[in-house]
Amino acid sequence: MNFEIPKALTAYIAEIDCFVKNKILPLQHTDDNNRFFDHRREHSRTDWIHNGNPKPEWEDLLNQARILADEAGFFRFALPKQYGGQEHPDTNLWMSAIRFHFASHPVYGGGLGLANDLQNEHSIVGNFPDVLMLHHFGSPEQRSTFIPARLRGEFRSTFGLTEPDHGSDATFMTTTACRQRDGFEISGAKKWQTGAHHCTHFLVFARTSGQPGSSKGITAFLVPRDTPGVRVASYEWTLNMPTDHATVEFERVWVPASSVLGSIDQGLAIAQTFVHENRIRQAASSCGAAKFCLDRSIERARSRKIWGEGKMLADNQAIQFPVVELMTQVEMLRLLILKTSCDMDRIVAASKAGDISQPPWVAIERQLSDKVAMCNFWANRLCCQAADRAIQIHGGDGYSRHFPFEHIYRHFRRYRITEGAEEIQMRKIAAYLFGFIEPKGDLKTRPALKAHI
């Protein structure tokens, strides 16, 4: 087994660092743009008068960074070649390593910087779940229309699965779509619709047939924002502001049949095209941010003089031991994330070669979903623990907004809920460990999850 990062990947990360140093950091330091990243960040980013949404000048700065990254050839790295991406055979490994680097390296501020600001999923190496959904499930017309528009910034969609009364139990959704006049009439509501303040479309999942609790009978629709009957009811203010998370109501919203994304009654399969990629990349970011917090804590403890005796704060085992425990977990988790990413790439390669008959996202769900869940739920919890420890070691300074740890805690706390609540992911892992599914074999023979998992 080879545990080294490939030399080509190390060289690529060095290219990114050079680009950031020469192009992104100068932009971040231009005029007063640092107000979005220093102690003023939350106030500078948030339009407190207008729903608590992101300020236009903040999002304009992010867009400038994305344009620079696109011109330099980094932004579309993970996309298929036909959309300007590299379609690298080890995309998952490379993206996980890049995400870890972005969140752990001091230049990137633990995910708080113009090159990679995780509060709004911004990065100069983009993540494109919506493009993947359109690529795999869209009609020829949808692909040719929406994907180029998305890459130009002219098409933006939310992801409408969660409802006011239904989160992890998505198959019990109450939003419905009934056939009407060569199309469908949608009624219901969706909550936590991220990006609703500037979206052009809502991707809405609605029940079109079947019984509550069934994974079949749910269909995905691309609903234009200005469709009659669509109403943004509220924006939910959160632990870390600004907010672009809306509750959206649909009252007898009619859409043509051409608005269906994928197959009728098979809409939940669309979510599987990106969920594991998103979760492993999020795990890498959380693990990297945890390391950032601990590295800064070690620096603080080594430089902080105490008790008037010239002793370092780091001389105390009460400081050392918690950091030791957390840093041990960071290193073990980092290796599991990279190993799981490699396994995901092998499944993708086998699918392209015709060695397996299933789409790669289905095979990954069946063979690796427990490992992805292990990485994700533990990384998000670990990041919160590391940020909390950093606050404690930095004392009053750590509690202040002049250091990034309170921001990191407030942001990463959300991922213990959003990328699949940690309890749901632990339930999936338990299904393997306690035999609620057949005993698992090696990577090629591990069985599918039963329908109730």
Side-chain angles (χ1 to χ4, degrees):
M1 298 180 68
N2 184 356
F3 291 95
E4 294 181 357
I5 299 293
K7 291 182 179 179
L9 174 52
T10 301
Y12 190 72
I13 291 175
E15 288 181 31
I16 295 174
D17 287 344
C18 185
F19 164 72
V20 170
K21 178 181 178 182
N22 293 328
K23 295 292 185 179
I24 301 299
L25 288 181
L27 177 59
Q28 180 174 329
H29 298 314
T30 296
D31 298 325
D32 193 26
N33 287 339
N34 271 319
R35 71 188 186 277
F36 297 116
F37 307 100
D38 61 19
H39 64 281
R40 303 167 291 173
R41 54 188 170 265
E42 190 171 42
H43 178 71
S44 298
R45 296 177 179 195
T46 307
D47 190 338
W48 300 104
I49 302 301
H50 299 97
N51 300 311
N53 286 168
K55 285 185 178 178
E57 54 266 39
W58 160 231
E59 295 195 310
D60 180 64
L61 179 62
L62 298 177
N63 190 53
Q64 292 179 54
R66 283 191 289 265
I67 291 172
L68 290 173
D70 205 12
E71 292 173 347
F74 295 117
F75 186 54
R76 306 188 192 192
F77 168 80
L79 287 178
K81 288 183 178 179
Q82 66 204 81
Y83 308 124
Q86 296 193 22
E87 204 167 332
H88 196 282
D90 297 319
T91 293
N92 287 297
L93 171 62
W94 282 49
M95 286 294 288
S96 290
I98 291 169
R99 286 284 191 264
F100 179 87
H101 178 76
F102 279 169
S104 63
H105 197 282
V107 168
Y108 298 93
L112 178 61
L114 184 54
N116 191 69
D117 194 276
L118 294 173
Q119 183 186 12
N120 37 52
E121 311 296 342
H122 162 80
S123 179
I124 58 172
V125 180
N127 200 29
F128 298 94
D130 50 349
V131 173
L132 292 178
M133 287 187 290
L134 287 164
H135 174 62
H136 292 298
F137 290 95
S139 66
E141 181 180 359
Q142 288 171 336
R143 290 197 299 269
S144 63
T145 301
F146 293 134
I147 292 179
R150 163 68 170 89
L151 296 175
R152 294 192 303 266
E154 299 168 2
F155 169 84
R156 297 175 298 273
S157 67
T158 66
F159 185 77
L161 194 60
T162 302
E163 298 185 347
D165 295 321
H166 299 280
S168 299
D169 57 343
T171 58
F172 287 89
M173 68 176 60
T174 55
T175 299
T176 59
C178 302
R179 292 185 181 271
Q180 293 282 347
R181 297 181 285 117
D182 298 324
F184 292 84
E185 188 177 87
I186 302 171
S187 294
K190 297 294 177 178
K191 194 171 184 178
W192 304 114
Q193 298 305 285
T194 302
H197 69 300
H198 66 185
C199 74
T200 61
H201 291 72
F202 297 100
L203 176 57
V204 180
F205 292 82
R207 182 161 292 284
T208 44
S209 69
Q211 298 299 315
S214 173
S215 60
K216 295 182 179 180
I218 293 173
T219 303
F221 299 88
L222 285 168
V223 181
R225 181 188 178 95
D226 58 359
T227 304
V230 175
R231 185 176 81 91
V232 175
S234 62
Y235 286 92
E236 315 311 324
W237 287 34
T238 60
L239 188 63
N240 217 14
M241 293 290 283
T243 179
D244 57 353
H245 315 295
T247 295
V248 184
E249 297 175 347
F250 302 88
E251 183 177 355
R252 302 186 66 179
V253 174
W254 183 86
V255 293
S258 60
S259 295
V260 173
L261 180 63
S263 300
I264 294 174
D265 293 339
Q266 303 296 325
L268 280 188
I270 293 174
Q272 288 185 323
T273 61
F274 73 94
V275 65
H276 295 94
E277 291 181 351
N278 259 22
R279 284 179 179 173
I280 201 69
R281 294 170 190 178
Q282 178 55 52
S285 292
S286 294
C287 187
K291 186 176 187 301
F292 171 86
C293 291
L294 297 172
D295 285 342
R296 304 290 79 72
S297 297
I298 292 168
E299 291 177 1
R300 175 76 168 198
R302 287 177 58 83
S303 64
R304 186 77 165 180
K305 305 299 182 182
I306 59 172
W307 307 123
E309 302 175 2
K311 292 181 62 178
M312 296 186 299
L313 185 62
D315 290 335
N316 294 282
Q317 290 179 336
I319 298 296
Q320 299 168 9
F321 286 4
V323 173
V324 167
E325 290 183 358
L326 292 170
M327 193 65 90
T328 300
Q329 294 180 47
V330 165
E331 184 59 18
M332 291 189 294
L333 181 60
R334 182 183 70 88
L335 293 174
L336 180 60
I337 290 169
L338 297 177
K339 166 67 164 55
T340 304
S341 300
C342 285
D343 289 341
M344 292 170 67
D345 287 326
R346 284 200 285 269
I347 288 176
V348 173
S351 178
K352 289 182 177 179
D355 295 336
I356 56 176
S357 58
Q358 305 154 330
W361 55 88
V362 175
I364 289 171
E365 164 69 23
R366 294 181 173 181
Q367 298 181 28
L368 290 174
S369 60
D370 61 328
K371 291 295 189 295
V372 174
M374 286 178 181
C375 292
N376 188 268
F377 101 84
W378 194 256
N380 297 330
R381 186 185 296 183
L382 178 60
C383 184
C384 291
Q385 293 173 348
D388 183 76
R389 178 51 46 184
I391 291 171
Q392 192 71 17
I393 289 175
H394 283 75
D397 289 341
Y399 186 69
S400 79
R401 299 193 180 199
H402 292 267
F403 284 75
F405 309 117
E406 58 82 31
H407 176 94
I408 290 172
Y409 180 87
R410 287 188 291 126
H411 169 65
F412 282 90
R413 184 59 181 82
R414 67 180 276 198
Y415 291 115
R416 295 177 63 187
I417 301 169
T418 56
E419 281 299 320
E422 62 181 38
E423 293 84 1
I424 297 298
Q425 298 195 58
M426 292 169 73
R427 178 173 177 257
K428 178 167 287 190
I429 298 165
Y432 281 104
L433 296 180
F434 289 91
F436 297 125
I437 59 171
E438 293 85 354
K440 61 187 179 183
D442 60 25
L443 190 60
K444 293 183 179 179
T445 61
R446 293 179 68 175
L449 289 171
K450 288 182 178 178
H452 68 280
I453 298 300

